[in-house]
Amino acid sequence: MKAIGYRKSLPVTDADALIDVEIDRPTPAGRDLLVRVEAVSVNPVDTKLRRNASPAEGDLRVLGFDAAGIVEAVGPDVTLFRPGDAVFYAGAIDRPGTNSEFHLVDERIVGARPASLSVAEAAALPLTAITAWEMLFDRLGLPREGGDGKSLLIVGGAGGVGSIAIQLARRLTKVRVLATASRPETADWVRELGAHDVIDHSRPMAEQVKALGLAGVDYIFSTNATDRHFQDLVELVAPQGHIGLIDDPEPIDVRLLKRKSVSLHWELMFTRSLFQTADMIAQHELLTEVSRLVDAGTLRTTLTETLGRIDAATLRKAHALIESGKARGKLVLEGF
C-alpha cells in the first residue's frame, strides 16, 4: 500500500523530509479496525515529531493522526464497528500513523463519522476536538450547561485546537469566552466561531482583559507560546483559578501560581491510548457526542483548506504551513 514517511529528521524544505513509499498492508487483531483512509489532517504534533524524533538507522516512521475513512476489516474482539462503517479518529502516538492507504486503530478511540460532513470536513476534527474537550471538561472542569458569571481565555484561538475549544465552550457552557488573535483575519475567525471578546496576544493581555471590566479570568486554556505569555497569564488569572496548557514550553516558574492558589493542568490526548487506561473508551464516547453535535448543527468543522492529495509533496507543504505559525483552523489532504 502507499504511505508517506521519513527516515531522518530534516528541515521541511528538504525533499527527503517526507517521502512516498510502499509498505505492507497490516492485518487487524484484537480490538483493531483496519481503516481505508480517505482524508487526513495535519497537526503541530506531526511537525514536532518529524523535526525531533529520528527513527532508528534504516527504519521508516509513518506520521499522521487525524483520519476519516471506511472500516475495511475488524479484529476478532471488535464490538463497536463493522466493515463498511464510516469513521473518524485521531490515532495513537506509539503506533504507525494515518498517512497510509490502510491504517490500524483501536476501536475504543474511534467515532462514527458525522453524516452531515464531507470526508475532508470530518478529518479536520478528531485530534483537536478530543484535546479541547478533555482540557475543558476533564482537566479544567468547566461545568456543562453552567458557568454563568465565569470567564474563559483561550490563548491561540484561531488555531486548530482553539477553533473547536471556542465552539465547545460557547455552545455547551455559559462562560464568557475570550480568545486571542493578532491579525484581522484571525480575529474575524474567532468571532465567527463564537468568541464573545478578542484579545491581541501580541500586546500585554492582562491590560486588555481589565479593559473589558474583568478583574480576572477564571479559566485559561493556553494552546501555544505558554512560556512567552506566562507572566501575563499569572497576572490575569483569577484567585483560585485554573490554567491548562497543551504545548511544550520552555521552563516556567509554577511557584508564581501559589499566591493565588491557581491550579495547573496538562492535557495530552494520547495519554489514554498510550497507557491503555481503564477509561480509554471515553474517547470513542467523546467522538460519538461530537459527531451528534455536528449533525445537530451545534458544532461546525474547522477545516479551512484542502491542500490536495495525500502524498509527500503535499504533506511537506502542509508541514511548512504549520511551522510558519500562521495556519488558521485545519489543513486537510484527501485521497491517494
Side-chain angles (χ1 to χ4, degrees):
M1 65 176 181
K2 295 177 182 178
I4 299 91
Y6 73 108
R7 300 187 187 279
K8 184 179 180 181
S9 292
L10 295 166
V12 73
T13 51
D14 193 305
D16 290 330
L18 291 167
I19 56 174
D20 294 301
V21 295
E22 288 279 340
I23 60 175
D24 293 335
R25 175 172 160 174
T27 301
R31 298 193 72 171
D32 278 344
L33 310 176
L34 178 68
V35 176
R36 175 162 45 85
V37 175
E38 296 179 302
V40 300
S41 73
V42 182
N43 294 281
V45 64
D46 294 271
T47 70
K48 290 175 185 176
L49 290 172
R50 194 207 77 248
R51 294 195 310 265
N52 302 313
S54 277
E57 185 70 30
D59 286 352
L60 173 85
R61 179 164 189 175
V62 176
L63 292 172
F65 298 99
D66 277 328
I70 301 293
V71 177
E72 186 81 6
V74 300
D77 301 326
V78 167
T79 61
L80 301 174
F81 298 96
R82 59 186 180 183
D85 285 347
V87 296
F88 73 148
Y89 58 92
I93 202 166
D94 57 345
R95 302 188 70 176
T98 58
N99 294 334
S100 58
E101 286 187 279
F102 294 91
H103 182 249
L104 290 180
V105 61
D106 190 299
E107 66 169 346
R108 289 170 291 178
I109 57 173
V110 176
R113 200 161 83 205
S116 59
L117 296 186
S118 70
V119 66
E121 290 171 330
L125 284 172
L127 186 147
T128 55
I130 294 170
T131 300
W133 188 292
E134 289 185 348
M135 175 59 86
L136 293 176
F137 303 119
D138 296 349
R139 314 292 177 232
L140 294 176
L142 266 70
R144 290 282 300 270
E145 308 304 329
D148 203 8
K150 299 288 186 179
S151 55
L152 163 72
L153 172 66
I154 300 170
V155 180
V161 173
S163 293
I164 191 67
I166 291 169
Q167 295 183 69
L168 290 171
R170 183 65 193 270
R171 309 294 178 226
L172 304 184
T173 80
K174 296 179 181 178
V175 301
R176 181 174 177 178
V177 180
L178 292 70
T180 77
S182 60
R183 292 175 286 142
E185 61 269 29
T186 53
D188 289 344
W189 173 252
V190 300
R191 286 191 186 94
E192 183 182 333
L193 293 172
H196 292 96
D197 305 284
V198 180
I199 302 294
D200 182 353
H201 54 246
S202 69
R203 300 190 292 111
M205 292 188 286
E207 296 175 7
Q208 298 175 68
V209 169
K210 289 174 183 175
L212 294 173
L214 294 171
V217 175
D218 301 289
Y219 305 97
I220 296 174
F221 184 172
S222 180
T223 70
N224 56 43
T226 298
D227 51 337
R228 192 165 78 237
H229 299 306
F230 194 65
Q231 290 282 350
D232 230 3
L233 303 185
V234 170
E235 182 180 348
L236 63 83
V237 68
Q240 302 183 93
H242 308 267
I243 298 176
L245 57 151
I246 59 172
D247 60 337
D248 301 294
E250 294 299 316
I252 53 177
D253 188 356
V254 298
R255 295 172 299 180
L256 298 174
L257 303 176
K258 180 178 180 179
R259 186 165 176 265
K260 289 184 176 179
S261 297
V262 170
S263 60
L264 185 68
H265 307 260
W266 283 95
E267 160 61 20
L268 178 68
M269 62 132 291
F270 298 117
T271 296
R272 283 179 161 129
S273 59
L274 190 60
F275 293 96
Q276 298 281 301
T277 60
D279 66 346
M280 184 170 160
I281 201 168
Q283 290 192 346
H284 161 72
E285 295 164 350
L286 186 166
L287 286 174
T288 299
E289 178 68 358
V290 167
S291 187
R292 184 190 69 78
L293 290 167
V294 168
D295 286 340
T298 304
L299 300 177
R300 53 176 280 190
T301 183
T302 53
L303 168 67
T304 51
E305 188 174 2
T306 302
L307 295 177
R309 301 187 71 80
I310 306 168
D311 59 27
T314 312
L315 276 168
R316 287 195 299 271
K317 179 181 177 183
H319 278 228
L321 285 168
I322 295 290
E323 289 177 17
S324 75
K326 295 183 178 179
R328 177 176 60 89
K330 293 299 298 293
L331 306 172
V332 173
L333 290 72
E334 182 177 358
F336 280 89

PDB file of all heavy atoms in Angstrom, residues 63-98:
ATOM      1  N   LEU A  63       3.929   9.126   9.796  1.00  0.00           N
ATOM      2  CA  LEU A  63       3.248  10.066  10.676  1.00  0.00           C
ATOM      3  C   LEU A  63       1.765  10.138  10.326  1.00  0.00           C
ATOM      4  O   LEU A  63       1.276   9.436   9.458  1.00  0.00           O
ATOM      5  CB  LEU A  63       3.886  11.446  10.563  1.00  0.00           C
ATOM      6  CG  LEU A  63       5.314  11.576  11.101  1.00  0.00           C
ATOM      7  CD1 LEU A  63       5.888  12.940  10.750  1.00  0.00           C
ATOM      8  CD2 LEU A  63       5.337  11.365  12.613  1.00  0.00           C
ATOM      9  N   GLY A  64       1.055  11.051  10.988  1.00  0.00           N
ATOM     10  CA  GLY A  64      -0.364  11.246  10.735  1.00  0.00           C
ATOM     11  C   GLY A  64      -1.205  10.728  11.880  1.00  0.00           C
ATOM     12  O   GLY A  64      -0.995   9.613  12.370  1.00  0.00           O
ATOM     13  N   PHE A  65      -2.150  11.539  12.322  1.00  0.00           N
ATOM     14  CA  PHE A  65      -3.020  11.151  13.434  1.00  0.00           C
ATOM     15  C   PHE A  65      -4.488  11.271  13.039  1.00  0.00           C
ATOM     16  O   PHE A  65      -5.216  10.287  13.037  1.00  0.00           O
ATOM     17  CB  PHE A  65      -2.672  11.965  14.680  1.00  0.00           C
ATOM     18  CG  PHE A  65      -1.262  11.707  15.128  1.00  0.00           C
ATOM     19  CD1 PHE A  65      -0.234  12.578  14.811  1.00  0.00           C
ATOM     20  CD2 PHE A  65      -0.956  10.544  15.815  1.00  0.00           C
ATOM     21  CE1 PHE A  65       1.077  12.310  15.184  1.00  0.00           C
ATOM     22  CE2 PHE A  65       0.350  10.255  16.197  1.00  0.00           C
ATOM     23  CZ  PHE A  65       1.369  11.143  15.875  1.00  0.00           C
ATOM     24  N   ASP A  66      -4.937  12.458  12.688  1.00  0.00           N
ATOM     25  CA  ASP A  66      -6.324  12.614  12.246  1.00  0.00           C
ATOM     26  C   ASP A  66      -6.594  11.832  10.973  1.00  0.00           C
ATOM     27  O   ASP A  66      -5.786  11.858  10.039  1.00  0.00           O
ATOM     28  CB  ASP A  66      -6.614  14.093  11.956  1.00  0.00           C
ATOM     29  CG  ASP A  66      -6.968  14.885  13.192  1.00  0.00           C
ATOM     30  OD1 ASP A  66      -7.570  14.316  14.116  1.00  0.00           O
ATOM     31  OD2 ASP A  66      -6.649  16.093  13.225  1.00  0.00           O
ATOM     32  N   ALA A  67      -7.735  11.155  10.939  1.00  0.00           N
ATOM     33  CA  ALA A  67      -8.137  10.460   9.711  1.00  0.00           C
ATOM     34  C   ALA A  67      -9.646  10.306   9.672  1.00  0.00           C
ATOM     35  O   ALA A  67     -10.314  10.247  10.709  1.00  0.00           O
ATOM     36  CB  ALA A  67      -7.484   9.078   9.625  1.00  0.00           C
ATOM     37  N   ALA A  68     -10.163  10.237   8.458  1.00  0.00           N
ATOM     38  CA  ALA A  68     -11.548   9.839   8.212  1.00  0.00           C
ATOM     39  C   ALA A  68     -11.504   8.799   7.109  1.00  0.00           C
ATOM     40  O   ALA A  68     -10.744   8.933   6.144  1.00  0.00           O
ATOM     41  CB  ALA A  68     -12.392  11.037   7.790  1.00  0.00           C
ATOM     42  N   GLY A  69     -12.298   7.749   7.278  1.00  0.00           N
ATOM     43  CA  GLY A  69     -12.272   6.686   6.279  1.00  0.00           C
ATOM     44  C   GLY A  69     -13.371   5.677   6.503  1.00  0.00           C
ATOM     45  O   GLY A  69     -14.344   5.936   7.221  1.00  0.00           O
ATOM     46  N   ILE A  70     -13.192   4.499   5.880  1.00  0.00           N
ATOM     47  CA  ILE A  70     -14.174   3.428   5.934  1.00  0.00           C
ATOM     48  C   ILE A  70     -13.532   2.183   6.548  1.00  0.00           C
ATOM     49  O   ILE A  70     -12.404   1.816   6.184  1.00  0.00           O
ATOM     50  CB  ILE A  70     -14.692   3.077   4.516  1.00  0.00           C
ATOM     51  CG1 ILE A  70     -15.322   4.306   3.856  1.00  0.00           C
ATOM     52  CG2 ILE A  70     -15.687   1.921   4.574  1.00  0.00           C
ATOM     53  CD1 ILE A  70     -16.589   4.798   4.510  1.00  0.00           C
ATOM     54  N   VAL A  71     -14.240   1.536   7.455  1.00  0.00           N
ATOM     55  CA  VAL A  71     -13.739   0.299   8.053  1.00  0.00           C
ATOM     56  C   VAL A  71     -13.685  -0.788   6.978  1.00  0.00           C
ATOM     57  O   VAL A  71     -14.696  -1.126   6.369  1.00  0.00           O
ATOM     58  CB  VAL A  71     -14.619  -0.154   9.233  1.00  0.00           C
ATOM     59  CG1 VAL A  71     -14.116  -1.493   9.779  1.00  0.00           C
ATOM     60  CG2 VAL A  71     -14.630   0.910  10.334  1.00  0.00           C
ATOM     61  N   GLU A  72     -12.503  -1.310   6.753  1.00  0.00           N
ATOM     62  CA  GLU A  72     -12.281  -2.340   5.739  1.00  0.00           C
ATOM     63  C   GLU A  72     -12.413  -3.741   6.336  1.00  0.00           C
ATOM     64  O   GLU A  72     -12.968  -4.650   5.722  1.00  0.00           O
ATOM     65  CB  GLU A  72     -10.886  -2.165   5.123  1.00  0.00           C
ATOM     66  CG  GLU A  72     -10.583  -3.062   3.962  1.00  0.00           C
ATOM     67  CD  GLU A  72     -11.157  -2.556   2.648  1.00  0.00           C
ATOM     68  OE1 GLU A  72     -11.708  -1.437   2.624  1.00  0.00           O
ATOM     69  OE2 GLU A  72     -11.047  -3.281   1.645  1.00  0.00           O
ATOM     70  N   ALA A  73     -11.871  -3.918   7.556  1.00  0.00           N
ATOM     71  CA  ALA A  73     -11.910  -5.209   8.245  1.00  0.00           C
ATOM     72  C   ALA A  73     -11.770  -4.949   9.739  1.00  0.00           C
ATOM     73  O   ALA A  73     -11.337  -3.860  10.154  1.00  0.00           O
ATOM     74  CB  ALA A  73     -10.788  -6.120   7.750  1.00  0.00           C
ATOM     75  N   VAL A  74     -12.126  -5.950  10.554  1.00  0.00           N
ATOM     76  CA  VAL A  74     -12.076  -5.775  12.008  1.00  0.00           C
ATOM     77  C   VAL A  74     -11.380  -6.958  12.660  1.00  0.00           C
ATOM     78  O   VAL A  74     -11.380  -8.079  12.140  1.00  0.00           O
ATOM     79  CB  VAL A  74     -13.492  -5.611  12.612  1.00  0.00           C
ATOM     80  CG1 VAL A  74     -14.195  -4.400  12.021  1.00  0.00           C
ATOM     81  CG2 VAL A  74     -14.325  -6.871  12.408  1.00  0.00           C
ATOM     82  N   GLY A  75     -10.775  -6.700  13.832  1.00  0.00           N
ATOM     83  CA  GLY A  75     -10.172  -7.762  14.624  1.00  0.00           C
ATOM     84  C   GLY A  75     -11.240  -8.605  15.298  1.00  0.00           C
ATOM     85  O   GLY A  75     -12.409  -8.213  15.389  1.00  0.00           O
ATOM     86  N   PRO A  76     -10.855  -9.765  15.838  1.00  0.00           N
ATOM     87  CA  PRO A  76     -11.825 -10.700  16.411  1.00  0.00           C
ATOM     88  C   PRO A  76     -12.551 -10.199  17.654  1.00  0.00           C
ATOM     89  O   PRO A  76     -13.621 -10.714  17.996  1.00  0.00           O
ATOM     90  CB  PRO A  76     -10.967 -11.929  16.744  1.00  0.00           C
ATOM     91  CG  PRO A  76      -9.569 -11.405  16.855  1.00  0.00           C
ATOM     92  CD  PRO A  76      -9.477 -10.287  15.876  1.00  0.00           C
ATOM     93  N   ASP A  77     -11.999  -9.204  18.341  1.00  0.00           N
ATOM     94  CA  ASP A  77     -12.607  -8.721  19.585  1.00  0.00           C
ATOM     95  C   ASP A  77     -13.395  -7.421  19.412  1.00  0.00           C
ATOM     96  O   ASP A  77     -13.861  -6.834  20.389  1.00  0.00           O
ATOM     97  CB  ASP A  77     -11.521  -8.518  20.653  1.00  0.00           C
ATOM     98  CG  ASP A  77     -10.759  -9.793  20.948  1.00  0.00           C
ATOM     99  OD1 ASP A  77     -11.376 -10.888  20.891  1.00  0.00           O
ATOM    100  OD2 ASP A  77      -9.551  -9.707  21.233  1.00  0.00           O
ATOM    101  N   VAL A  78     -13.558  -6.981  18.185  1.00  0.00           N
ATOM    102  CA  VAL A  78     -14.262  -5.712  17.917  1.00  0.00           C
ATOM    103  C   VAL A  78     -15.762  -5.877  18.128  1.00  0.00           C
ATOM    104  O   VAL A  78     -16.362  -6.858  17.687  1.00  0.00           O
ATOM    105  CB  VAL A  78     -13.969  -5.238  16.476  1.00  0.00           C
ATOM    106  CG1 VAL A  78     -14.924  -4.129  16.062  1.00  0.00           C
ATOM    107  CG2 VAL A  78     -12.523  -4.758  16.366  1.00  0.00           C
ATOM    108  N   THR A  79     -16.363  -4.898  18.816  1.00  0.00           N
ATOM    109  CA  THR A  79     -17.814  -4.933  19.077  1.00  0.00           C
ATOM    110  C   THR A  79     -18.526  -3.652  18.651  1.00  0.00           C
ATOM    111  O   THR A  79     -19.752  -3.643  18.540  1.00  0.00           O
ATOM    112  CB  THR A  79     -18.089  -5.155  20.580  1.00  0.00           C
ATOM    113  OG1 THR A  79     -17.517  -4.073  21.332  1.00  0.00           O
ATOM    114  CG2 THR A  79     -17.497  -6.475  21.068  1.00  0.00           C
ATOM    115  N   LEU A  80     -17.768  -2.567  18.420  1.00  0.00           N
ATOM    116  CA  LEU A  80     -18.393  -1.265  18.197  1.00  0.00           C
ATOM    117  C   LEU A  80     -18.627  -0.948  16.725  1.00  0.00           C
ATOM    118  O   LEU A  80     -19.480  -0.116  16.404  1.00  0.00           O
ATOM    119  CB  LEU A  80     -17.521  -0.163  18.814  1.00  0.00           C
ATOM    120  CG  LEU A  80     -17.243  -0.266  20.319  1.00  0.00           C
ATOM    121  CD1 LEU A  80     -16.250   0.803  20.748  1.00  0.00           C
ATOM    122  CD2 LEU A  80     -18.539  -0.140  21.109  1.00  0.00           C
ATOM    123  N   PHE A  81     -17.874  -1.574  15.819  1.00  0.00           N
ATOM    124  CA  PHE A  81     -17.952  -1.243  14.404  1.00  0.00           C
ATOM    125  C   PHE A  81     -17.926  -2.510  13.561  1.00  0.00           C
ATOM    126  O   PHE A  81     -17.581  -3.593  14.047  1.00  0.00           O
ATOM    127  CB  PHE A  81     -16.776  -0.336  13.996  1.00  0.00           C
ATOM    128  CG  PHE A  81     -16.746   0.987  14.699  1.00  0.00           C
ATOM    129  CD1 PHE A  81     -15.964   1.163  15.837  1.00  0.00           C
ATOM    130  CD2 PHE A  81     -17.494   2.052  14.238  1.00  0.00           C
ATOM    131  CE1 PHE A  81     -15.936   2.383  16.500  1.00  0.00           C
ATOM    132  CE2 PHE A  81     -17.481   3.277  14.891  1.00  0.00           C
ATOM    133  CZ  PHE A  81     -16.698   3.436  16.020  1.00  0.00           C
ATOM    134  N   ARG A  82     -18.270  -2.341  12.287  1.00  0.00           N
ATOM    135  CA  ARG A  82     -18.201  -3.452  11.344  1.00  0.00           C
ATOM    136  C   ARG A  82     -17.747  -2.922   9.991  1.00  0.00           C
ATOM    137  O   ARG A  82     -17.803  -1.706   9.741  1.00  0.00           O
ATOM    138  CB  ARG A  82     -19.558  -4.141  11.230  1.00  0.00           C
ATOM    139  CG  ARG A  82     -20.686  -3.244  10.771  1.00  0.00           C
ATOM    140  CD  ARG A  82     -22.011  -3.975  10.827  1.00  0.00           C
ATOM    141  NE  ARG A  82     -23.117  -3.121  10.390  1.00  0.00           N
ATOM    142  CZ  ARG A  82     -24.384  -3.493  10.395  1.00  0.00           C
ATOM    143  NH1 ARG A  82     -24.716  -4.715  10.814  1.00  0.00           N
ATOM    144  NH2 ARG A  82     -25.334  -2.666   9.988  1.00  0.00           N
ATOM    145  N   PRO A  83     -17.288  -3.792   9.096  1.00  0.00           N
ATOM    146  CA  PRO A  83     -16.838  -3.327   7.783  1.00  0.00           C
ATOM    147  C   PRO A  83     -17.914  -2.499   7.076  1.00  0.00           C
ATOM    148  O   PRO A  83     -19.099  -2.817   7.128  1.00  0.00           O
ATOM    149  CB  PRO A  83     -16.555  -4.636   7.037  1.00  0.00           C
ATOM    150  CG  PRO A  83     -16.155  -5.587   8.127  1.00  0.00           C
ATOM    151  CD  PRO A  83     -17.037  -5.242   9.284  1.00  0.00           C
ATOM    152  N   GLY A  84     -17.458  -1.427   6.445  1.00  0.00           N
ATOM    153  CA  GLY A  84     -18.368  -0.523   5.746  1.00  0.00           C
ATOM    154  C   GLY A  84     -18.739   0.712   6.541  1.00  0.00           C
ATOM    155  O   GLY A  84     -19.270   1.675   5.974  1.00  0.00           O
ATOM    156  N   ASP A  85     -18.474   0.715   7.855  1.00  0.00           N
ATOM    157  CA  ASP A  85     -18.804   1.875   8.679  1.00  0.00           C
ATOM    158  C   ASP A  85     -17.887   3.055   8.342  1.00  0.00           C
ATOM    159  O   ASP A  85     -16.679   2.889   8.134  1.00  0.00           O
ATOM    160  CB  ASP A  85     -18.647   1.552  10.167  1.00  0.00           C
ATOM    161  CG  ASP A  85     -19.777   0.691  10.703  1.00  0.00           C
ATOM    162  OD1 ASP A  85     -20.794   0.550   9.995  1.00  0.00           O
ATOM    163  OD2 ASP A  85     -19.635   0.146  11.820  1.00  0.00           O
ATOM    164  N   ALA A  86     -18.463   4.251   8.298  1.00  0.00           N
ATOM    165  CA  ALA A  86     -17.692   5.476   8.090  1.00  0.00           C
ATOM    166  C   ALA A  86     -17.258   6.011   9.454  1.00  0.00           C
ATOM    167  O   ALA A  86     -18.089   6.213  10.343  1.00  0.00           O
ATOM    168  CB  ALA A  86     -18.537   6.515   7.365  1.00  0.00           C
ATOM    169  N   VAL A  87     -15.956   6.222   9.621  1.00  0.00           N
ATOM    170  CA  VAL A  87     -15.413   6.579  10.935  1.00  0.00           C
ATOM    171  C   VAL A  87     -14.466   7.776  10.840  1.00  0.00           C
ATOM    172  O   VAL A  87     -14.009   8.151   9.764  1.00  0.00           O
ATOM    173  CB  VAL A  87     -14.659   5.386  11.555  1.00  0.00           C
ATOM    174  CG1 VAL A  87     -15.618   4.227  11.828  1.00  0.00           C
ATOM    175  CG2 VAL A  87     -13.504   4.922  10.652  1.00  0.00           C
ATOM    176  N   PHE A  88     -14.186   8.364  12.010  1.00  0.00           N
ATOM    177  CA  PHE A  88     -13.130   9.370  12.129  1.00  0.00           C
ATOM    178  C   PHE A  88     -12.462   9.222  13.481  1.00  0.00           C
ATOM    179  O   PHE A  88     -13.068   8.744  14.441  1.00  0.00           O
ATOM    180  CB  PHE A  88     -13.649  10.780  11.863  1.00  0.00           C
ATOM    181  CG  PHE A  88     -14.529  11.411  12.933  1.00  0.00           C
ATOM    182  CD1 PHE A  88     -14.500  12.785  13.131  1.00  0.00           C
ATOM    183  CD2 PHE A  88     -15.409  10.669  13.721  1.00  0.00           C
ATOM    184  CE1 PHE A  88     -15.318  13.398  14.085  1.00  0.00           C
ATOM    185  CE2 PHE A  88     -16.222  11.270  14.667  1.00  0.00           C
ATOM    186  CZ  PHE A  88     -16.166  12.641  14.853  1.00  0.00           C
ATOM    187  N   TYR A  89     -11.175   9.600  13.576  1.00  0.00           N
ATOM    188  CA  TYR A  89     -10.415   9.353  14.803  1.00  0.00           C
ATOM    189  C   TYR A  89      -9.078  10.079  14.732  1.00  0.00           C
ATOM    190  O   TYR A  89      -8.718  10.648  13.697  1.00  0.00           O
ATOM    191  CB  TYR A  89     -10.184   7.852  15.003  1.00  0.00           C
ATOM    192  CG  TYR A  89      -9.447   7.177  13.864  1.00  0.00           C
ATOM    193  CD1 TYR A  89      -8.061   7.053  13.875  1.00  0.00           C
ATOM    194  CD2 TYR A  89     -10.142   6.676  12.760  1.00  0.00           C
ATOM    195  CE1 TYR A  89      -7.390   6.450  12.830  1.00  0.00           C
ATOM    196  CE2 TYR A  89      -9.470   6.067  11.714  1.00  0.00           C
ATOM    197  CZ  TYR A  89      -8.100   5.959  11.760  1.00  0.00           C
ATOM    198  OH  TYR A  89      -7.433   5.359  10.716  1.00  0.00           O
ATOM    199  N   ALA A  90      -8.336  10.028  15.860  1.00  0.00           N
ATOM    200  CA  ALA A  90      -7.055  10.733  15.927  1.00  0.00           C
ATOM    201  C   ALA A  90      -5.864   9.824  16.172  1.00  0.00           C
ATOM    202  O   ALA A  90      -4.752  10.302  16.369  1.00  0.00           O
ATOM    203  CB  ALA A  90      -7.103  11.814  17.007  1.00  0.00           C
ATOM    204  N   GLY A  91      -6.047   8.523  16.201  1.00  0.00           N
ATOM    205  CA  GLY A  91      -4.926   7.599  16.276  1.00  0.00           C
ATOM    206  C   GLY A  91      -4.177   7.619  17.591  1.00  0.00           C
ATOM    207  O   GLY A  91      -4.607   8.192  18.589  1.00  0.00           O
ATOM    208  N   ALA A  92      -3.015   6.953  17.584  1.00  0.00           N
ATOM    209  CA  ALA A  92      -2.186   6.806  18.782  1.00  0.00           C
ATOM    210  C   ALA A  92      -0.753   7.174  18.448  1.00  0.00           C
ATOM    211  O   ALA A  92      -0.266   6.914  17.344  1.00  0.00           O
ATOM    212  CB  ALA A  92      -2.245   5.365  19.300  1.00  0.00           C
ATOM    213  N   ILE A  93      -0.054   7.767  19.407  1.00  0.00           N
ATOM    214  CA  ILE A  93       1.290   8.281  19.150  1.00  0.00           C
ATOM    215  C   ILE A  93       2.337   7.182  19.116  1.00  0.00           C
ATOM    216  O   ILE A  93       3.448   7.385  18.613  1.00  0.00           O
ATOM    217  CB  ILE A  93       1.654   9.366  20.192  1.00  0.00           C
ATOM    218  CG1 ILE A  93       2.762  10.273  19.654  1.00  0.00           C
ATOM    219  CG2 ILE A  93       2.020   8.728  21.533  1.00  0.00           C
ATOM    220  CD1 ILE A  93       2.951  11.542  20.445  1.00  0.00           C
ATOM    221  N   ASP A  94       2.025   5.999  19.652  1.00  0.00           N
ATOM    222  CA  ASP A  94       3.003   4.904  19.713  1.00  0.00           C
ATOM    223  C   ASP A  94       2.739   3.827  18.655  1.00  0.00           C
ATOM    224  O   ASP A  94       3.244   2.707  18.778  1.00  0.00           O
ATOM    225  CB  ASP A  94       3.014   4.283  21.113  1.00  0.00           C
ATOM    226  CG  ASP A  94       1.659   3.767  21.561  1.00  0.00           C
ATOM    227  OD1 ASP A  94       0.639   4.127  20.930  1.00  0.00           O
ATOM    228  OD2 ASP A  94       1.611   2.993  22.538  1.00  0.00           O
ATOM    229  N   ARG A  95       1.956   4.166  17.616  1.00  0.00           N
ATOM    230  CA  ARG A  95       1.680   3.229  16.534  1.00  0.00           C
ATOM    231  C   ARG A  95       1.908   3.937  15.191  1.00  0.00           C
ATOM    232  O   ARG A  95       1.934   5.160  15.139  1.00  0.00           O
ATOM    233  CB  ARG A  95       0.229   2.725  16.619  1.00  0.00           C
ATOM    234  CG  ARG A  95      -0.119   2.044  17.938  1.00  0.00           C
ATOM    235  CD  ARG A  95      -1.495   1.410  17.892  1.00  0.00           C
ATOM    236  NE  ARG A  95      -1.540   0.238  17.017  1.00  0.00           N
ATOM    237  CZ  ARG A  95      -2.617  -0.538  16.860  1.00  0.00           C
ATOM    238  NH1 ARG A  95      -3.733  -0.254  17.515  1.00  0.00           N
ATOM    239  NH2 ARG A  95      -2.572  -1.582  16.059  1.00  0.00           N
ATOM    240  N   PRO A  96       2.050   3.185  14.098  1.00  0.00           N
ATOM    241  CA  PRO A  96       2.185   3.821  12.784  1.00  0.00           C
ATOM    242  C   PRO A  96       1.012   4.759  12.509  1.00  0.00           C
ATOM    243  O   PRO A  96      -0.116   4.522  12.949  1.00  0.00           O
ATOM    244  CB  PRO A  96       2.190   2.631  11.825  1.00  0.00           C
ATOM    245  CG  PRO A  96       2.740   1.499  12.632  1.00  0.00           C
ATOM    246  CD  PRO A  96       2.192   1.712  14.014  1.00  0.00           C
ATOM    247  N   GLY A  97       1.294   5.832  11.750  1.00  0.00           N
ATOM    248  CA  GLY A  97       0.312   6.876  11.560  1.00  0.00           C
ATOM    249  C   GLY A  97      -0.620   6.676  10.385  1.00  0.00           C
ATOM    250  O   GLY A  97      -0.577   5.672   9.670  1.00  0.00           O
ATOM    251  N   THR A  98      -1.455   7.688  10.186  1.00  0.00           N
ATOM    252  CA  THR A  98      -2.557   7.601   9.223  1.00  0.00           C
ATOM    253  C   THR A  98      -2.178   8.017   7.806  1.00  0.00           C
ATOM    254  O   THR A  98      -3.021   7.973   6.910  1.00  0.00           O
ATOM    255  CB  THR A  98      -3.728   8.491   9.684  1.00  0.00           C
ATOM    256  OG1 THR A  98      -3.258   9.847   9.814  1.00  0.00           O
ATOM    257  CG2 THR A  98      -4.288   8.021  11.001  1.00  0.00           C
TER     258      THR A  98
END
